[in-house]
Amino acid sequence: MWFNKIRGISPPHNKNTQKCPVRVLPVPMQVEIPMLMHSGKPAIPVVKAGDKVKVGQLIGELDGTICSPVHSSVSGIVKSVNERDRVTGRRGMSVTIESDGLQIRHEDMHPLEVTNLQEFLDAVRDSGAVGLGGAGFPAAPKLAIKNLDELDYILINGAECEPYVTSDTRTMVSDTKHVVDGVGFLLQFMKPRKKIYICIEDNKPDAIKAMRDGFDGNDMVEVFVLPTMYPQGERKVLVYNVTGRIVPEGARLADVGCLVTNCTTITVFSRYIKSGIPLINKVVTVDGPIVRTPKNVLAPIGTAIWELFEFCDGFTEDVPGKIIAGGPMMGFALPDLEVPVVKTTNALLAFPAGDTVRPRETACIKCGRCLGVCPMSLMPPNLEAAYLTKNLVKLEHYKVNMCVECGSCAYICPAKRPLVQTMQLSKELLWQSKKGAKA
């Protein structure tokens, strides 16, 4: 198979939980479920304080195409409909439910009969599936590509290139059937012209074996083993490394005949079609240098993260220096331990205070290391200089919008320049300038 390794970095893997089976968290006494756990518009609450709800019941309905429904992860009574999103700190609706501990399933949860593409897309939408690799884009509009007859490849992203994170790996190993069924639905209704690739890095032998066994004899599906490299799982990087196709600036993956979806995402709509169970639980890797007993934990959406850390026997230090949701490269810091698990939570990492001290920033020494690792072949020093002088023409010339914000440049920089933050600010500067020009 064609392969041409592109640029990236090799941070320590720290896949401490790779062989840890998924442990089920006891039902929490309370969950707080945000209406915005995806890209696009928030769902609209359809319950109020005092309502009784059951597991799988719709509590947030769609508000437009780029949206995703929200379902209750527990049975119990709605305590409140809050006006603050605890994850972001911004104003946003969340539904708090006091659990009765009974986990009574809603009567609407039953297998679906799906016979055509539109019924399949409706099922994907109703399942609450979003991009579970971190982006959170609603799965249904992502699959509803206009040029479906030009779709050559579907790439199932199981690369999981971030250090520590193993929740996708455990999905492929422990929930192989739903991965296989999900791919089957994609083959049946999306009908790619050439192949579906299951893309896995070579440091995950158990997942590679599970997928090869699961798809044995299926000529339309191939397990594509990739060298371990960060950011191997970034969608444009993955498309290039697997198919050799380059996604131009401003283009969609579908424009080059490709579609990328996360391996855990397809288990969500597969399970929903097979059983009627929507996205109400998440497998979360709980790890980090000060987590006493790292585990992969199946937790109801809306569970406060302190319950997951407590389930893993707490911390080896009294107070963690930083808690990160997601991987250490592209994850984000959480304000406290009351933040709930959301649809896109794939990992919770706890670090000691000594690991979170910001290094002293020094002048760029023009070493070129950042150029050597940028997966998009950009020039971070030039972009940084353009941002500092607010030179919008040069920001566009050096194609800042092609940056995937992987952080490879900042990781390798000996001067400790905050390059990835500069890229984010540069994009915002460009966007604001174009927005102002249209006004």
Side-chain angles (χ1 to χ4, degrees):
M1 174 53 64
W2 184 94
F3 181 80
N4 179 22
K5 182 178 179 181
I6 66 170
R7 300 168 177 176
I9 58 174
S10 298
H13 300 168
N14 293 328
K15 300 289 189 179
N16 308 314
T17 57
Q18 185 165 250
K19 292 187 176 294
C20 294
V22 176
R23 303 298 184 188
V24 180
L25 185 79
V27 180
M29 295 180 63
Q30 177 176 291
V31 294
E32 183 177 339
I33 306 177
M35 294 295 101
L36 184 61
M37 297 184 281
H38 50 268
S39 301
K41 299 179 69 175
I44 301 172
V46 293
V47 293
K48 61 183 184 302
D51 286 352
K52 291 183 178 180
V53 295
K54 298 177 182 178
V55 174
Q57 180 175 333
L58 184 74
I59 60 173
E61 66 181 7
L62 291 170
D63 184 18
T65 303
I66 311 302
C67 187
S68 182
V70 178
H71 303 82
S72 178
S73 59
V74 298
S75 60
I77 297 177
V78 176
K79 181 180 178 181
S80 63
V81 178
N82 310 311
E83 293 187 356
R84 182 170 71 88
D85 184 335
R86 196 183 291 273
V87 178
T88 64
R90 299 191 295 266
R91 292 183 68 84
M93 306 305 286
S94 294
V95 175
T96 301
I97 303 169
E98 288 186 347
S99 170
D100 57 18
L102 301 176
Q103 291 301 85
I104 301 171
R105 292 176 50 153
H106 195 263
E107 49 274 11
D108 285 347
M109 288 202 299
H110 52 74
L112 279 68
E113 183 177 353
V114 177
T115 61
N116 56 55
L117 176 61
Q118 189 56 55
E119 289 178 351
F120 170 64
L121 294 175
D122 290 345
V124 173
R125 177 198 63 206
D126 296 341
S127 72
V130 301
L132 298 180
F137 193 85
K142 181 178 183 178
L143 297 179
I145 58 178
K146 294 180 180 179
N147 51 336
L148 188 59
D149 58 337
E150 299 175 8
L151 178 64
D152 291 329
Y153 300 105
I154 298 178
L155 279 57
I156 308 301
N157 191 349
E160 202 164 50
C161 57
E162 283 257 20
Y164 290 103
V165 189
T166 65
S167 51
D168 282 348
T169 299
R170 293 316 305 175
T171 293
M172 289 184 284
V173 172
S174 305
D175 203 5
T176 306
K177 184 180 185 305
H178 280 119
V179 177
V180 172
D181 288 344
V183 169
F185 288 124
L186 292 173
L187 280 172
Q188 181 180 356
F189 298 113
M190 302 292 291
K191 295 180 171 58
R193 297 191 296 184
K194 294 187 177 182
K195 187 84 72 172
I196 289 185
Y197 287 114
I198 314 296
C199 308
I200 311 174
E201 288 186 322
D202 59 13
N203 65 346
K204 303 170 181 67
D206 292 347
I208 292 169
K209 182 180 185 304
M211 292 294 96
R212 281 179 171 164
D213 290 347
F215 293 103
D216 185 37
N218 191 332
D219 293 337
M220 278 296 293
V221 182
E222 179 180 331
V223 177
F224 196 107
V225 180
L226 295 151
T228 299
M229 180 198 73
Y230 177 85
Q232 191 73 264
E234 201 286 324
R235 60 195 184 106
K236 293 181 181 179
V237 172
L238 200 64
V239 165
Y240 179 72
N241 272 357
V242 174
T243 71
R245 299 183 179 185
I246 296 173
V247 182
E249 182 179 11
R252 303 169 303 157
L253 302 191
D255 295 333
V256 297
C258 296
L259 175 70
V260 176
T261 187
N262 175 265
C263 63
T264 302
T265 299
I266 66 174
T267 68
V268 173
F269 62 72
S270 171
R271 184 178 294 107
Y272 181 72
I273 293 171
K274 292 287 187 176
S275 67
I277 301 173
L279 179 52
I280 54 176
N281 298 301
K282 270 305 302 291
V283 175
V284 181
T285 298
V286 183
D287 200 352
I290 61 170
V291 173
R292 198 177 299 277
T293 310
K295 298 177 183 177
N296 287 302
V297 181
L298 180 67
I301 288 173
T303 305
I305 64 170
W306 67 262
E307 298 200 42
L308 280 74
F309 285 114
E310 188 175 271
F311 187 65
C312 294
D313 303 317
F315 306 117
T316 58
E317 294 187 3
D318 291 340
V319 180
K322 183 173 288 187
I323 303 292
I324 291 178
M329 296 300 298
M330 295 186 73
F332 56 93
L334 298 177
D336 55 55
L337 294 173
E338 297 293 334
V339 172
V341 170
V342 295
K343 290 183 179 183
T344 54
T345 307
N346 61 355
L348 295 168
L349 308 178
F351 294 89
D355 287 357
T356 60
V357 177
R358 182 172 175 174
R360 186 172 69 89
E361 181 183 329
T362 58
C364 175
I365 60 173
K366 313 298 182 186
C367 66
R369 294 183 189 179
C370 55
L371 282 70
V373 300
C374 177
M376 307 308 291
S377 299
L378 301 180
M379 303 173 71
N382 299 51
L383 286 165
E384 182 186 41
Y387 172 72
L388 293 175
T389 58
K390 301 298 183 285
N391 191 323
L392 304 181
V393 173
K394 285 191 174 181
L395 284 177
E396 288 198 287
H397 174 73
Y398 291 117
K399 298 191 179 299
V400 70
N401 284 324
M402 286 289 286
C403 173
V404 297
E405 301 175 20
C406 66
S408 295
C409 54
Y411 178 88
I412 206 72
C413 178
K416 308 303 179 185
R417 308 291 296 176
L419 294 172
V420 68
Q421 292 92 336
T422 299
M423 302 305 146
Q424 293 167 338
L425 292 170
S426 298
K427 291 180 181 181
E428 177 67 15
L429 183 65
L430 269 182
W431 183 81
Q432 289 291 351
S433 68
K434 292 181 178 180
K435 181 182 177 181
K438 290 179 180 179

